[in-house]
Amino acid sequence: MQLTFDSDVETFRAEFVAFLDEHLPDAAEADERPRSSAHVPEWARRWQRVQFDNGWLLPGNPPEFGGRNATILQQYVHLEELSKRRIYHSFNPQGLGIIAASLLSFGTEEQKSRWAARILRAEITAALGMSEPGAGSDLAGLRTRAVLDGDHFVVNGQKVWTSGAHDADVLLTFVRTDPVAPKHQGISVLLIPTDTPGVTRRPFPSVCAPDDLDFNEVFFNDVRVPVENVVGEVNKGWQVATGSLGHERTLLWLSFADRLGDLIEDFRPVTQLDRDRYATLVMDAQALRLLGSRALAREARGEQDVAALSVLKLLGSESVQTAAEHALSAEGEDGLVHPTTTAPYTPWNLDNFSSSWFERYVRSFAGTIAGGTSEIQRTIIAERVLGLPRH
């Protein structure tokens, strides 16, 4: 097994490192933190546009959409270098990784120009309207309705857990347009500007961060949306949904590997049980990187393996959660207290900068839900890897 990269990939890496050395904002310039996952401070908008204009925002994209047609291996080292410096290339992650990517895959040329390019250039931000009070992991159970009325759809219903919606300019919204169609059919996708009459956004805190307003309830009351805002085909929104989550999961395992490494580095084993758990986590981290490298090599050869991504998502998210749980246990009651830190502020250390182990543990549950729950991943593995019957 070759665990190094060819010269063209390393040349690509060196070019990106040089770009970062020249253009990365410093702490003095980056004086404002984002308040949600769809709020991008002005300094961060400038940083995102610089990346876009130089082809470093999403290198796998064509140049007109912030990239340079990079190979999957080049995309990997790009993310690796961002990870080494703990750098965010955007503070609107769902806008770039899911919504703009979905528009480039399923949208019209006008939608790509009007919406995707502007999201990528940080001229506007976007949020994802999928989950509902009765349709979280089971997206096909959504009940938000859109009824065709002339050249508009009239939307009524509710979304929840819509991260950053109160700061977003547009929502990529999944609605039911055929109420009598089978469960996975009759779904359509609409781009709904948040200033459209009838759209109400209500942010609410999470249990692990009471002062952090990112989650939202979103209500639609007779919201009129032009038919040209349909993404993909009417009643064929399930394909967009699966494509959206696919964009999110392609190299997701790398972020889990980084987070697991951070947790292991901060873990302070005391008892023999702690040391045994610590050793298991180190092995999990090594296994995750080796399996991820294997999947990366297969994709570089043009081989797609959805089941492998499910294995990586499951292993990565649950290993992070287990590491946080064991570290919290080792800390005992001290794990409930915010650590005292004298580390200087930087624009990138927003996650776990001064969080208690309890908060880090609670936050880990997001990883086992977002991008496809652990239960869904186990079902995929059971059917596609183990060959077990569906029922």
Side-chain angles (χ1 to χ4, degrees), residues 128-146 155-162 173-176 187-188 216-218 220:
L128 183 64
M130 275 190 168
S131 296
E132 299 184 3
S137 300
D138 182 20
L139 177 64
L142 67 86
R143 299 175 63 184
T144 296
R145 291 281 303 277
V155 181
N156 285 279
Q158 179 187 356
K159 298 294 179 179
V160 73
W161 313 115
T162 314
T173 312
F174 289 75
V175 297
R176 187 161 296 283
I187 295 173
S188 300
N216 277 250
E217 295 178 298
V218 182
F220 303 95

Side-chain angles (χ1 to χ4, degrees), residues 107-118 191 228-229:
T108 64
E109 293 305 313
E110 192 274 340
Q111 289 172 345
K112 294 176 186 178
S113 174
R114 180 183 176 189
W115 301 105
R118 295 174 67 204
L191 285 162
E228 60 262 28
N229 284 22

Side-chain angles (χ1 to χ4, degrees), residues 62-345:
E64 62 269 27
F65 294 111
R68 49 183 62 202
N69 295 314
T71 67
I72 187 64
L73 295 180
Q74 290 171 333
Q75 293 173 59
Y76 173 83
V77 298
H78 170 263
L79 290 178
E80 193 174 49
E81 290 303 319
L82 289 174
S83 174
K84 285 179 182 178
R85 302 194 188 202
R86 295 295 186 265
I87 295 170
Y88 298 100
H89 58 315
S90 172
F91 289 95
N92 183 212
Q94 69 272 19
L96 262 67
I98 300 177
I99 298 164
S102 297
L103 290 172
L104 295 184
S105 295
F106 299 99
T108 64
E109 293 305 313
E110 192 274 340
Q111 289 172 345
K112 294 176 186 178
S113 174
R114 180 183 176 189
W115 301 105
R118 295 174 67 204
I119 292 170
L120 293 168
R121 286 184 52 81
E123 295 171 1
I124 59 175
T125 62
L128 183 64
M130 275 190 168
S131 296
E132 299 184 3
S137 300
D138 182 20
L139 177 64
L142 67 86
R143 299 175 63 184
T144 296
R145 291 281 303 277
V147 178
L148 187 61
D149 179 23
D151 58 357
H152 284 72
F153 281 98
V154 179
V155 181
N156 285 279
Q158 179 187 356
K159 298 294 179 179
V160 73
W161 313 115
T162 314
S163 298
H166 61 301
D167 287 315
D169 298 294
V170 64
L171 305 174
L172 186 72
T173 312
F174 289 75
V175 297
R176 187 161 296 283
T177 43
D178 186 347
V180 300
K183 192 174 181 181
H184 290 79
Q185 300 176 28
I187 295 173
S188 300
V189 185
L190 300 176
L191 285 162
I192 304 181
T194 55
D195 60 359
T196 306
V199 176
T200 301
R201 298 162 286 167
R202 295 179 183 170
F204 61 90
S206 66
V207 65
C208 58
D211 297 327
D212 178 16
L213 295 180
D214 193 37
F215 290 140
N216 277 250
E217 295 178 298
V218 182
F219 299 90
F220 303 95
N221 183 21
D222 290 335
V223 176
R224 297 184 64 83
V225 183
V227 293
E228 60 262 28
N229 284 22
V230 175
V231 179
E233 297 182 49
V234 174
N235 296 328
K236 298 291 181 66
W238 189 253
Q239 290 92 322
V240 181
T242 55
S244 297
L245 295 179
H247 290 306
E248 186 180 24
R249 290 170 51 205
T250 302
L251 288 171
L252 185 61
W253 65 269
L254 180 59
S255 66
F256 285 126
D258 290 335
R259 290 169 61 191
L260 183 56
D262 288 343
L263 289 166
I264 290 172
E265 184 176 342
D266 293 341
F267 194 146
R268 296 185 297 181
V270 178
T271 67
Q272 182 59 48
L273 177 59
D274 292 338
R275 288 190 284 272
D276 288 345
R277 288 171 169 173
Y278 179 88
T280 299
L281 293 172
V282 171
M283 289 186 285
D284 285 347
Q286 183 71 1
L288 181 60
R289 288 198 175 273
L290 290 174
L291 288 171
S293 297
R294 183 171 180 265
L296 184 68
R298 293 192 65 177
E299 188 163 351
R301 295 194 297 267
E303 303 170 11
Q304 292 188 339
D305 190 346
V306 175
L309 294 179
S310 291
V311 170
L312 288 165
K313 168 65 165 61
L314 183 65
L315 173 61
S317 62
E318 297 209 341
S319 293
V320 166
Q321 190 172 100
T322 300
E325 180 183 13
H326 290 339
L328 174 60
S329 177
E331 290 287 326
E333 62 183 21
D334 290 341
L336 303 177
V337 180
H338 272 281
T340 300
T341 178
T342 58
Y345 164 71

